[in-house]
Amino acid sequence: MESEIHEDCGVALVRLLKPLNYYKQKYGTWQYGLNKLYLMMEKEHNRGQEGAGLVSVKLHTEPGNEYMFRERAEGSNAITEIFGSARKQMQNAIKDDNEPNLDNIRELPFIGELYMGHLRYSTTGKSGLKYVHPFLRRNNWRAKNLCLCGNYNMTNVDEVFNLLTEQGQCPRIYSDSYIMLELMGHRLDREVERNFVDAQNLGLEDGDITRYIDQNVLMENVLKTTMDKFDGGYVVSGITGSGEMFAMRDPHGIRPAYFYQNEEVVVLASERPVLQTTFDLEYNDIEELTPGAALIVRSNGESTVSQILEPKENYACSFERIYFSRGSDKDIYGERKKLGEQLTPQVLQAVDYDINHSVLSYIPNTAEVAFYGLLDGLNQYAINQNIEQIESLGHLPSHDELTNILKGHVRSEKVAWKDIKLRTFITEGNARNDLVSHVYDISYGSLEPYQDNLVIIDDSIVRGTTLKESILHILDRLHPKKIVVVSSAPQIRYPDYYGIDMPRLEEFCTFRAAIQLLKDREMTKVIEDTYHLCKAEIDKPKQEMLNRVRDIYAPFTVDEINVKMVEMLRPNGMTTPIEIVYQSMEGLRSAVPDNRGNWYFSGHYPTPGGTKLCNQAFVNYVENIYNIEQKKSKK
């Protein structure tokens, strides 16, 4: 997997249900909630390394005192920065050297009952602190303060933006996060005003009205009148100034969320192992937030799971399971092993069943579990072969005969090492390409030159850049008889628009191979026809659109595209035979049965917005190529 492919984000929520002095007495620190949030975010660091943010809310503060505290930072070291800054502010607020006590703890920043954290990878290319979650909407009414973050990407930002402007609003920034904040904030304002009227009807006045509002805000109402406007994959999380906390999952369950609650805490994270490790829990202690539902914790600490939107067909993202999620999850570990094991027949065919002269390895680090699965499958084949040979002897084998037969086994080696990270300050083309070629190193002497096949498994092949510029070149130094590159995922053919950084067709090596095949076979009319069909689809209502980009792949088999891909990815001067083996769609469904979102591979998008954007991506591709060719002809 190319390191440039990123997951959108990770979220973490902590709601303390006991008084603060309870945690001090039991766990020895006022910072129990903050410390747990820190651990959760570190355990989710794989989900975002471009930025991080946290927010804390204090309950029951007096007017004139801050009750919402936020820190954000950019860069791979952002988690350390934001928590370091929070602790520094706490230290600065202590007026003497004494340990904070119950009398002055309410004055310290970031010591509260509600915590929310976020880790960011950008899927839009936008950078800067203003794009780092959580986003904050301020107001003098405590209940109207809203802090929002999430793991999401919305496909219909233009439509929601137009909805807001038609209402007379003027969003400051054109992005799904800010537009969602403004729309949800607008609906939160209406919810507060509804409670204001109710309080007046009950005869309440002044501060009693405020207290009534703080205790009676229903986030269900806010979410139901906000999230029905959005098309996308998401887990949206938020905290209000009055102490409401929520997290909502999209109706197709595209993006994941897990939660746990007991008498002390309610916590939520993007991955199950994060909660297991941080709170020392068993697998079955943790619940998965269901599609279209929201976990809501009220200001008094009562929690509920409310169905906000009707759940739709399961499109939980399969790519989460193959690559992005932590492999330490019980289910994910088993799924990744099965993805590898299922490739045994194709790998055996690729090496002509010569396991005695084949070495199995993997591309670090996310393919390691699939490697173990493939190793199990090949070992089982070797065992069966050995048994057949022994049984075919027809007599009690001698020691020498057994020794000779049992030599047949699968060899595995640590062949590839991820050696360095690319330093972006080297920007010159030749120098940068040379550096990329050394990202991986090899174990010299790990196979017999010119005799052993080298089978190397990766979790997926997306752009092919790392294969062409680094991996194939460096592996060839071992002089294998043949290199078999195995992908535990099927061919990635279509862009993603729900939170994974794969938005452009031309970036995929599978797409480039299919386009080149059309050109080689003088079938460019398919490209032209697909362009016009995509244009026509875009003019239809979204619900009626079909994905016409699928027509590009229709004339070819998977093997035909594989052969062309090898031709295009082969480094200059390399003569070693190369074969690519991909997971099948049937294999994916068998290994990952509960995550049926496979639009990357099939082109079947879960929402109309995804289909629209895929058609638009092909139109953009063709028009961009046409403009480039026009510029060349003018020169």
Side-chain angles (χ1 to χ4, degrees):
M1 161 63 73
E2 286 85 353
S3 59
E4 293 84 1
I5 303 296
H6 299 313
E7 161 68 27
D8 191 340
C9 297
V11 299
L13 297 174
V14 177
R15 173 60 158 93
L16 303 181
L17 301 178
K18 300 285 189 180
L20 291 176
N21 61 326
Y22 170 90
Y23 304 93
K24 169 63 176 175
Q25 292 172 5
K26 182 172 182 178
Y27 299 104
T29 177
W30 300 106
Q31 299 182 36
Y32 176 81
L34 189 66
N35 290 344
K36 289 300 185 184
L37 183 72
Y38 171 74
L39 287 172
M40 291 169 69
M41 292 178 69
E42 282 290 3
K43 295 297 179 183
E44 287 190 331
H45 208 173
N46 57 299
R47 303 186 72 87
Q49 298 179 25
E50 292 182 2
L54 73 91
V55 65
S56 173
V57 171
K58 288 179 181 290
L59 298 178
H60 314 304
T61 59
E62 294 298 323
N65 293 282
E66 181 60 84
Y67 50 89
M68 294 189 80
F69 302 88
R70 180 179 62 155
E71 277 294 320
R72 297 181 296 171
E74 289 187 280
S76 59
N77 200 41
I79 295 177
T80 302
E81 287 188 33
I82 60 175
F83 282 92
S85 177
R87 291 194 168 99
K88 184 177 180 180
Q89 291 177 54
M90 282 188 279
Q91 290 299 318
N92 291 340
I94 299 173
K95 298 180 174 59
D96 51 45
D97 294 331
N98 296 325
E99 173 75 10
N101 54 52
L102 192 57
D103 294 330
N104 62 21
I105 194 67
R106 306 303 308 176
E107 300 176 11
L108 296 186
F110 296 100
I111 299 295
E113 290 83 2
L114 292 86
Y115 292 93
M116 182 170 71
H118 186 266
L119 294 145
R120 180 178 191 259
Y121 266 135
S122 170
T123 59
T124 62
K126 295 177 179 178
S127 60
L129 198 61
K130 69 179 180 179
Y131 292 107
V132 177
H133 303 214
F135 300 102
L136 180 59
R137 189 176 189 261
R138 288 289 201 178
N139 194 283
N140 267 355
W141 288 82
R142 196 195 321 254
K144 288 187 177 183
N145 285 268
L146 176 64
C147 203
L148 199 65
C149 74
N151 172 20
Y152 55 77
N153 208 46
M154 304 303 180
T155 67
N156 65 331
V157 179
D158 54 344
E159 296 172 12
V160 183
F161 182 84
N162 291 337
L163 174 66
L164 288 176
T165 55
E166 287 170 4
Q167 292 175 346
Q169 297 189 50
C170 186
R172 297 180 296 111
I173 299 174
Y174 187 90
S175 76
D176 52 6
S177 298
Y178 272 94
I179 289 171
M180 185 187 298
L181 180 69
E182 291 305 322
L183 178 58
M184 192 175 293
H186 173 71
R187 299 312 309 170
L188 180 59
D189 290 347
R190 302 290 82 78
E191 173 65 14
V192 169
E193 289 157 12
R194 178 188 70 80
N195 278 285
F196 182 88
V197 173
D198 288 349
Q200 283 186 320
N201 291 338
L202 292 171
L204 301 178
E205 296 179 350
D206 303 328
D208 290 335
I209 291 180
T210 300
R211 282 184 284 274
Y212 179 89
I213 292 171
D214 291 350
Q215 295 167 8
N216 289 278
V217 167
L218 294 179
M219 287 309 301
E220 296 95 322
N221 294 340
V222 178
L223 292 171
K224 285 177 180 178
T225 54
T226 300
M227 299 313 299
D228 63 332
K229 310 295 190 302
F230 286 96
D231 179 302
Y234 55 82
V235 170
V236 176
S237 305
I239 293 177
T240 71
S242 57
E244 300 289 321
M245 186 178 86
F246 65 89
M248 179 179 170
R249 194 176 181 194
D250 66 85
H252 289 287
I254 296 172
R255 300 268 74 88
Y258 299 86
F259 69 96
Y260 167 76
Q261 52 189 329
N262 62 15
E263 70 280 358
E264 295 182 350
V265 295
V266 180
V267 291
L268 178 138
S270 294
E271 299 189 35
R272 189 193 304 268
V274 172
L275 300 180
Q276 285 187 259
T277 302
T278 303
F279 295 92
D280 192 21
L281 303 173
E282 297 295 330
Y283 175 92
N284 291 327
D285 293 334
I286 298 165
E287 297 182 62
E288 183 174 5
L289 189 61
T290 55
L295 172 68
I296 297 174
V297 186
R298 308 201 185 284
S299 59
N300 63 3
E302 294 179 1
S303 63
T304 182
V305 175
S306 298
Q307 195 66 46
I308 303 301
L309 298 177
E310 182 180 347
K312 299 181 180 179
E313 184 178 356
N314 175 10
Y315 274 98
C317 176
S318 58
F319 216 48
E320 287 268 357
R321 316 293 280 190
I322 296 168
Y323 177 69
F324 290 111
S325 297
R326 293 173 66 88
S328 57
D329 181 278
K330 172 188 170 184
D331 294 338
I332 294 172
Y333 186 84
E335 290 167 5
R336 289 182 181 177
K337 280 197 73 174
K338 190 170 182 180
L339 284 167
E341 184 181 1
Q342 288 178 160
L343 291 162
T344 301
Q346 298 97 304
V347 171
L348 286 169
Q349 186 175 3
V351 299
D352 199 23
Y353 297 89
D354 187 6
I355 60 171
N356 291 333
H357 296 95
S358 297
V359 174
L360 176 62
S361 192
Y362 62 95
I363 298 173
N365 290 316
T366 54
E368 185 174 2
V369 179
F371 159 80
Y372 291 130
L374 179 57
L375 183 61
D376 285 350
L378 292 172
N379 274 327
Q380 188 59 55
Y381 171 81
I383 290 169
N384 292 340
Q385 290 296 106
N386 294 341
I387 291 172
E388 287 182 14
Q389 289 186 57
I390 292 171
E391 291 176 340
S392 68
L393 291 175
H395 62 267
L396 185 66
S398 67
H399 178 83
D400 289 342
E401 285 175 322
L402 279 176
T403 300
N404 186 57
I405 291 171
L406 294 178
K407 283 181 180 177
H409 71 284
V410 180
R411 292 160 53 205
S412 60
E413 302 284 355
K414 174 81 170 180
V415 171
W417 300 78
K418 197 162 188 180
D419 203 30
I420 61 171
K421 286 188 176 181
L422 180 65
R423 301 301 180 185
T424 56
F425 59 79
I426 298 182
T427 56
E428 297 83 6
N430 291 336
R432 189 177 189 278
N433 290 340
D434 180 65
L435 188 59
V436 169
S437 70
H438 292 86
V439 168
Y440 288 89
D441 207 342
I442 51 169
S443 298
Y444 291 95
S446 54
L447 63 153
E448 193 68 32
Y450 307 109
Q451 293 187 31
D452 287 337
N453 301 304
L454 176 57
V455 179
I456 191 132
I457 187 169
D458 199 355
D459 49 67
S460 56
I461 303 170
V462 184
R463 293 169 177 150
T465 308
T466 308
L467 270 179
K468 182 178 179 65
E469 296 182 358
S470 178
I471 293 173
L472 290 175
H473 174 75
I474 200 78
L475 293 180
D476 197 41
R477 294 183 182 180
L478 296 172
H479 306 297
K481 179 182 176 182
K482 180 180 183 180
I483 296 176
V484 180
V485 180
V486 183
S487 170
S488 67
Q491 289 180 346
I492 295 175
R493 299 181 169 195
Y494 305 94
D496 179 70
Y497 302 104
Y498 304 111
I500 302 217
D501 182 21
M502 297 191 296
R504 296 168 59 206
L505 281 162
E506 58 267 35
E507 294 183 342
F508 305 134
C509 55
T510 311
F511 177 79
R512 297 196 304 272
I515 291 292
Q516 192 58 49
L517 277 172
L518 291 171
K519 293 178 179 179
D520 292 347
R521 300 184 185 183
E522 298 183 351
M523 299 170 64
T524 54
K525 191 174 187 303
V526 173
I527 302 174
E528 184 179 335
D529 290 346
T530 302
Y531 169 76
H532 292 297
L533 288 169
C534 286
K535 291 272 285 186
E537 291 296 323
I538 293 170
D539 291 334
K540 295 180 181 178
K542 280 198 306 184
Q543 287 73 15
E544 298 177 15
M545 290 184 192
L546 300 175
N547 182 3
R548 302 315 301 250
V549 182
R550 301 179 78 229
D551 297 351
I552 292 295
Y553 300 101
F556 311 116
T557 65
V558 169
D559 288 340
E560 286 177 309
I561 295 175
N562 285 351
V563 170
K564 175 53 67 175
M565 204 180 306
V566 167
E567 179 186 317
M568 296 173 68
L569 296 179
R570 179 185 293 278
N572 293 334
M574 182 176 175
T575 59
T576 303
I578 303 170
E579 185 171 342
I580 295 179
V581 171
Y582 273 100
Q583 183 71 249
S584 66
M585 289 297 296
E586 294 76 18
L588 174 67
R589 285 190 285 266
S590 174
V592 190
D594 297 328
N595 284 55
R596 302 173 190 169
N598 59 24
W599 56 92
Y600 316 91
F601 320 114
S602 67
H604 295 298
Y605 287 89
T607 73
T611 303
K612 175 184 178 181
L613 291 177
C614 186
N615 286 323
Q616 185 64 58
F618 189 78
V619 170
N620 295 344
Y621 164 75
V622 172
E623 292 179 351
N624 184 51
I625 294 298
Y626 176 73
N627 289 335
I628 291 173
E629 291 176 350
Q630 269 196 333
K631 289 177 182 178
K632 286 181 179 178
S633 64
K634 288 180 180 178
K635 290 182 179 180

